[in-house]
């Protein structure tokens, strides 16, 4: 079976599980930045965000909600006619991708040290962004010739080894797992019923519910992976597959530049800081979304309606 067929199947699963939506406008915004106007550290940080597709991930909340809602509609016992629009409107109030990006940058900029070959890393991350777009186009066009090029590239033991090493060093698979965690939480809260005692604004259960919201994502994050829908490990595996295909479009020089960055102590520190900052910023926004959502649902509780 030709690689393209396998590639299309895997990428389709990548889209369903990790929900990374192609964003041409985002790509234009990123590649249009004037790297020369930034300090070398800022340039490295911006390139790191580009390599890990952070901007695309920060734009995901509504897509995650709609995806979970679509799955929930197949369950005849779940009524999400009211909860889906409430959760979407709550996400609009809570998630500000631009502000979240700024906070992440501030955090990773604080990483001590400097990187020697900024230009090579910038060039390599731009090539990786192009690689993702090329693979997306291959998928859309069912371009078997391009699929064969990837197949040939991955058939080289040396190239395959480097590509797999770079993919294992990057943060993207772990960021995809974060997306799966959020998807689990969204799926859970979508089926809340407005008549639930926990949504009675005057009840002790309601106070307890609101108090637990900040710990909801950490709880899902720390649970052992059980497989099934929105599995963290599946999300990481599918993300790694998509990343591998994109890396396979790069030249040896660009692959070497990525490996040099991510394998070094500075790159490892940046990667770890990025994961922590992303997690912190995302959890804060998600908690705000969930709190707003619960408050809006509580307004529809019979006790609240009666009190009006």
């Amino acid at each position: 079976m030709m690689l393209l067929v396998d590639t299309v199947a895997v990428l389709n699963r990548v889209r369903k599980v990790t929900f990374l939506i192609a964003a041409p406008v985002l790509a234009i915004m990123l590649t249009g930045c004037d790297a020369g106007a930034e300090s070398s550290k800022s340039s490295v940080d911006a390139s790191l965000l580009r390599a890990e597709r952070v901007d695309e991930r920060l734009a995901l909340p509504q897509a995650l909600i709609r995806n979970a809602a679509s799955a929930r509609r197949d369950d005849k016992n779940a009524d999400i006619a009211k909860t889906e629009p409430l959760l979407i409107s709550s996400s609009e109030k809570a998630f500000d991708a631009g502000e979240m990006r700024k906070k992440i940058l501030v955090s990773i900029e604080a990483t001590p040290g400097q990187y020697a070959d900024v230009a090579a890393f910038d060039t390599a991350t731009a090539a990786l962004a192009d690689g993702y777009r090329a693979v997306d186009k291959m998928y859309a066009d069912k371009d078997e010739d391009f699929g064969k090029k990837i197949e040939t590239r991955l058939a080289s033991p040396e190239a395959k080894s480097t590509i797999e090493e770079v993919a294992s060093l990057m943060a993207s698979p772990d960021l995809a797992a974060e997306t799966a965690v959020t998807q689990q939480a969204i799926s859970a809260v979508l089926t809340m019923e407005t008549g639930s005692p926990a949504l009675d604004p005057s009840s002790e259960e309601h106070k307890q519910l609101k108090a637990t919201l900040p710990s909801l994502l950490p709880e899902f994050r720390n649970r052992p992976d059980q497989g099934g829908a929105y599995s963290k490990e599946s999300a990481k595996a599918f993300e790694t597959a998509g990343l591998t295909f994109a890396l396979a479009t790069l030249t040896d020089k660009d692959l070497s530049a990525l490996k040099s960055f991510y394998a070094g102590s500075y790159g490892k520190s940046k990667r770890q800081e990025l994961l922590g900052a992303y997690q912190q910023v995302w959890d804060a926004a998600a908690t705000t979304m969930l709190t707003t959502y619960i408050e809006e649902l509580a307004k529809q509780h019979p006790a609240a309606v009666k009190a009006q």
Side-chain angles (χ1 to χ4, degrees):
M1 188 179 296
M2 287 185 293
L3 173 69
L4 178 63
V5 177
D6 295 334
T7 301
V8 169
V10 172
L11 287 177
N12 188 41
R13 284 180 291 168
V14 169
R15 286 172 171 79
K16 289 181 179 178
V17 177
T18 62
F19 315 104
L20 292 179
I21 302 170
V25 174
L26 168 66
I28 292 172
M29 178 186 73
L30 287 173
T31 56
C33 292
D34 182 8
E38 300 177 317
S39 69
S40 61
K41 179 173 285 192
S42 296
S43 182
V44 166
D45 295 337
S47 294
L48 178 62
L49 264 59
R50 172 168 57 192
E52 305 292 1
R53 304 218 281 179
V54 169
D55 295 81
E56 288 175 312
R57 300 176 200 279
L58 293 178
L60 284 176
Q62 290 186 38
L64 298 180
I65 294 167
R66 291 192 173 95
N67 188 285
S70 178
R72 284 296 190 181
R73 286 192 191 94
D74 296 334
D75 181 357
K76 294 181 180 179
N77 295 320
D79 182 6
I80 59 169
K82 294 180 179 179
T83 57
E84 180 186 2
L86 277 181
L87 193 52
I88 287 177
S89 64
S90 297
S91 74
E92 291 172 345
K93 297 172 184 176
F95 284 87
D96 184 330
E99 286 301 311
M100 293 169 75
R101 185 181 197 273
K102 288 178 183 177
K103 290 178 180 178
I104 292 172
L105 276 173
V106 167
S107 183
I108 62 176
E109 282 172 354
T111 307
Q114 292 183 336
Y115 190 62
D117 204 347
V118 177
F121 184 61
D122 286 346
T123 299
T125 60
L128 181 59
D130 288 341
Y132 272 117
R133 286 192 290 271
V135 171
D136 282 340
K137 188 174 186 301
M138 178 200 70
Y139 174 83
D141 296 346
K142 297 181 173 60
D143 187 343
E144 294 188 3
D145 289 337
F146 193 83
K148 289 177 181 177
K149 290 180 181 179
I150 293 180
E151 182 180 39
T152 300
R153 182 70 163 147
L154 292 174
S156 165
E158 185 176 352
K160 185 173 184 290
S161 176
T162 302
I163 288 168
E164 289 178 346
E165 182 177 1
V166 172
S168 71
L169 291 169
M170 291 182 65
S172 287
D174 286 328
L175 292 174
E178 288 298 314
T179 301
V181 166
T182 307
Q183 191 78 80
Q184 290 173 21
I186 286 172
S187 181
V189 301
L190 266 174
T191 54
M192 294 191 72
E193 297 180 1
T194 55
S196 167
L199 290 175
D200 180 351
S202 62
S203 71
E204 187 62 31
E205 291 96 327
H206 184 66
K207 293 178 183 178
Q208 293 175 357
L209 173 62
K210 292 185 69 173
T212 62
L213 292 179
S215 62
L216 186 60
L217 256 65
E219 179 184 336
F220 278 104
R221 183 178 296 121
N222 294 327
R223 284 182 182 179
D225 197 86
Q226 301 294 328
Y230 317 130
S231 160
K232 292 175 286 186
E233 291 305 314
S234 293
K236 290 174 69 173
F238 293 138
E239 177 77 13
T240 299
L243 173 58
T244 297
F245 296 136
L247 288 170
T249 68
L250 270 57
T251 64
D252 289 341
K253 182 178 180 181
D254 287 334
L255 277 176
S256 179
L258 289 177
K259 180 179 175 180
S260 294
F261 175 81
Y262 280 103
S265 59
Y266 184 72
K268 288 179 179 179
S269 295
K270 284 285 188 182
R271 176 195 184 279
Q272 198 60 35
E273 189 63 39
L274 169 61
L275 283 174
Y278 181 93
Q279 198 175 84
Q280 183 177 17
V281 168
W282 186 274
D283 280 13
T287 299
T288 299
M289 173 186 74
L290 293 170
T291 301
T292 303
Y293 170 70
I294 294 301
E295 289 174 347
E296 290 301 315
L297 275 181
K299 292 177 183 178
Q300 299 182 19
H301 190 275
V305 173
K306 185 177 180 180
Q308 291 177 359

